[in-house]
Amino acid sequence: MQDGSKRRARLILISGIVLAIFAGAGTFFYASNAQTAVAPVVATTPVLVAAREVPAKTTLTAADLKVQEYNVDAKPASALIRPEDAIGKVTITAMSVGEAILPSKFSDPKNPVFVVIPATALAADGAIKADTPNFRAMSITVPDANAVGGAVAVGDSVDILFTMQFDPLKFITNPLPNQTSDVSAKIILERVPILARLAATYTIRVDALTAERIGYLQATGGQMSFLLRAPKDERAASTTGTSFGGVMNAFKIPIPEKIPR
């Protein structure tokens, strides 16, 4: 009887062990299948996004951009992928970190948005280079008759000719005997970029000190004219200005004489 009891005990123990093994295996396979169902593989695709906050009217640099994996279903249809397709473009709206870069965010080349700091003055990280002048955008009004008949357009480069009535007695404490009231004309600025235009009002880029001087000249009542430069013409005008003496000598204009009677 004792041998039979021992056999039954062994059978019960073995049966328990086998059942425990099957239960553990079942639990393992169930957990594995459940985990696979909870975390399926999601297809992704690279998308160009903003690497930092980008204000409007910003010339994009490499530091403003990064490539990030997007869920294929969430990728905007027109989103860019390559940084070189966005670098150098000017934004028309602000962009947040991680926002996909879309062509609709860029200024239209046919109707560009101007930037105060040119792209050539930006370092690779988007910071303004240390030797960059304190550029400012300012507007001046030049009638079409003084702006190449109104042919000056955004993107053109012009020289600015200033003409004014000058009275040495008004501005100089001890004028020279041969200095007299006359009209004086001089090219005061060269290679000035036209950033924007609205009718006869033009937006130009100058440094802060030059802006002050232009403001003064405008207040004197003098006249400004645009001289349109040919594309890629970077030559200096190297003129000294003129008044009656210069015009008379250059063009051999005769001086009227009083006729005795």
Side-chain angles (χ1 to χ4, degrees), residues 31 119 201 203 216:
T201 300
T203 301
Y216 171 81

Side-chain angles (χ1 to χ4, degrees), residues 187 190 240:
I187 294 176
E190 298 185 37
T240 58

